[in-house]
């Protein structure tokens, strides 16, 4: 008896299309660069801008080898979630987005390609998606890898329109709609010696701090477990450790906070937590049974964004 073919979808069937899309998604995921911004001083902020900061900009310091024709501003999201645009003016400025409608497998190469595009594009042009060819330049090749981002955090999207320009009704409506959906955000100032990037956001009933950390994931998880077992996994009164998520090769601890307090009021507790975490990271003592239980519990609450 011949083998049944009822489980083999017809080439033009909906099921065949879904299977093809699933295979394509799996291939793209396996090809994705796990830690695209590794080696950059601004790695943690780049991850934050790409994943959860609503509205922020920073003027980039381009690498000496780049034939810079104009200034480039890195942004969270641009109108239409395009990869880049060149704003017309007396001195045209390039804008490059990190939160895109179409994302490739290597965020570093995509952003690098968008930056280079802004140097030759005509004022008024926009780039829907970056075409980063295999073996092409990556972000460390086109910006100063040792430079931090000098960030400006916005509570709206008015910066989408140049100063002194009145937007048309459709653009104004889009900006207003985006403004209504934005959640107030701030980057905590924890001093020059602070590790990673700690971002506060008011989500309504709760506020949160998401602290993007550069350490090896296993080492950081062990340190968090040590603090949890010792009762030190918090950011002071009115805070609670909510869990952590992985994204772009980094681990991001998250704390729920009292939303009544101003973000600057969390800076001292965050510094104190950072000091406790540094001490736990430096410890090479064998794990106790309580620390192992804490680590298992913390891992069970992790999620992976990408």
């Amino acid at each position: 008896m011949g083998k049944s073919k009822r489980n083999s979808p017809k080439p033009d069937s909906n099921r065949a299309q879904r299977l093809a899309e699933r295979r394509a998604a799996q291939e793209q995921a396996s090809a994705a660069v796990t830690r695209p911004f590794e080696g950059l001083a601004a790695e943690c902020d780049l991850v934050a801008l790409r994943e959860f900061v609503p509205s922020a900009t920073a003027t980039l310091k381009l690498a000496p080898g780049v034939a810079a024709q104009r200034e480039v501003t890195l942004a969270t999201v641009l109108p239409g979630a395009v990869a880049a645009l060149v704003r017309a003016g007396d001195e045209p400025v390039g804008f490059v987005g990190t939160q895109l409608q179409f994302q490739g497998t290597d965020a570093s190469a995509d952003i690098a390609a968008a930056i280079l595009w802004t140097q030759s594009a005509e004022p008024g042009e926009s780039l829907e998606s970056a075409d980063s060819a295999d073996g092409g330049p990556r972000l460390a090749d086109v910006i100063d890898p040792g430079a931090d981002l000098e960030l400006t955090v916005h509570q709206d999207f008015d910066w989408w329109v140049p100063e002194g320009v009145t937007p048309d009704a459709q653009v104004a409506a889009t900006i207003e709609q985006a403004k209504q959906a934005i959640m107030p955000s701030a980057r905590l100032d924890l001093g020059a010696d602070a590790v990673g990037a700690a971002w506060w956001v008011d989500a309504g009933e709760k506020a949160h701090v998401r602290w993007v950390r550069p350490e090896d994931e296993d080492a950081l998880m062990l340190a968090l477990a040590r603090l949890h077992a010792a009762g030190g996994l918090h950011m002071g009164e009115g805070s609670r450790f909510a869990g952590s998520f992985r994204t772009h090769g980094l681990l991001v601890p998250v704390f729920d906070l009292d939303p009544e307090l101003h973000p600057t009021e969390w800076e001292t507790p965050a510094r104190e937590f950072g000091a406790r975490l540094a001490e736990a990271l430096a410890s090479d003592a064998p794990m106790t049974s309580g620390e192992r239980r804490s680590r298992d519990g913390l891992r069970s609450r992790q999620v992976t964004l990408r």
Side-chain angles (χ1 to χ4, degrees):
M1 182 180 293
K3 186 180 293 186
S4 170
K5 296 184 179 180
R6 63 184 178 184
N7 290 324
S8 300
K10 296 179 180 179
D12 58 348
S13 69
N14 289 337
R15 184 177 171 217
Q17 182 179 351
R18 289 196 300 271
L19 289 173
E21 291 172 349
R22 185 182 305 168
R23 283 194 295 270
Q26 290 171 343
E27 290 172 0
Q28 183 176 19
S30 64
V33 176
T34 303
R35 190 171 173 178
F37 306 122
E38 185 174 12
L40 296 171
E43 178 184 20
C44 293
D45 276 317
L46 286 166
V47 169
L49 294 182
R50 188 166 173 87
E51 289 303 318
F52 56 78
V53 176
S55 183
T57 55
T59 300
L60 292 176
K61 295 180 180 178
L62 300 186
V66 175
Q69 303 297 316
R70 54 179 62 112
E71 187 178 274
V72 180
T73 296
L74 186 73
T76 46
V77 63
L78 297 172
V82 297
L85 57 84
V86 175
R87 178 178 290 173
D90 293 338
E91 294 185 8
V93 177
F95 283 78
V96 173
T98 55
Q99 299 172 23
L100 312 177
Q101 183 176 359
F102 303 104
Q103 299 187 6
T105 57
D106 185 351
S108 177
D110 289 347
I111 295 174
I115 291 171
L116 294 176
W117 175 88
T118 65
Q119 299 306 296
S120 58
E122 293 296 323
E125 289 187 334
S126 63
L127 178 68
E128 190 172 77
S129 62
D131 183 13
S132 54
D134 291 341
R138 305 185 76 245
L139 203 47
D141 301 316
V142 300
I143 68 170
D144 180 355
D148 291 319
L149 295 180
E150 297 181 5
L151 286 155
T152 300
V153 182
H154 307 275
Q155 306 307 329
D156 53 40
F157 291 97
D158 290 345
W159 56 270
W160 278 359
V161 179
E163 188 175 349
V165 174
T166 301
D168 62 35
Q170 184 177 355
V171 172
T174 300
I175 293 174
E176 183 60 29
Q177 184 179 10
K179 187 186 301 185
Q180 295 302 320
I182 202 170
M183 292 185 290
S185 301
R187 191 188 191 283
L188 299 188
D189 183 2
L190 304 183
D193 297 329
V195 176
W199 284 84
W200 172 93
V201 61
D202 183 355
E205 293 184 3
K206 295 178 182 177
H208 308 287
V209 158
R210 303 180 181 105
W211 197 330
V212 187
R213 303 287 307 195
E215 295 91 356
D216 171 79
E217 181 183 330
D218 290 336
L220 180 57
M221 183 56 66
L222 171 56
L224 293 173
R226 291 190 193 277
L227 291 183
H228 183 269
L233 188 53
H234 59 78
M235 283 179 49
E237 185 178 352
S239 73
R240 182 184 71 86
F241 181 71
S244 60
F245 62 88
R246 304 181 192 92
T247 183
H248 293 301
L250 300 183
L251 191 62
V252 185
V254 181
F255 296 86
D256 290 340
L257 308 175
D258 180 354
E260 296 299 318
L261 298 182
H262 191 272
T264 57
E265 295 182 80
W266 292 107
E267 290 177 351
T268 295
R271 291 189 195 100
E272 293 170 350
F273 167 74
R276 292 195 301 274
L277 183 58
E279 185 176 349
L281 282 163
S283 174
D284 59 0
M287 291 188 74
T288 66
S289 58
E291 290 170 348
R292 288 194 184 90
R293 286 193 298 272
S294 290
R295 183 180 61 182
D296 293 342
L298 295 179
R299 279 180 170 166
S300 69
R301 295 157 62 186
Q302 273 187 326
V303 295
T304 300
L305 297 187
R306 66 180 72 247

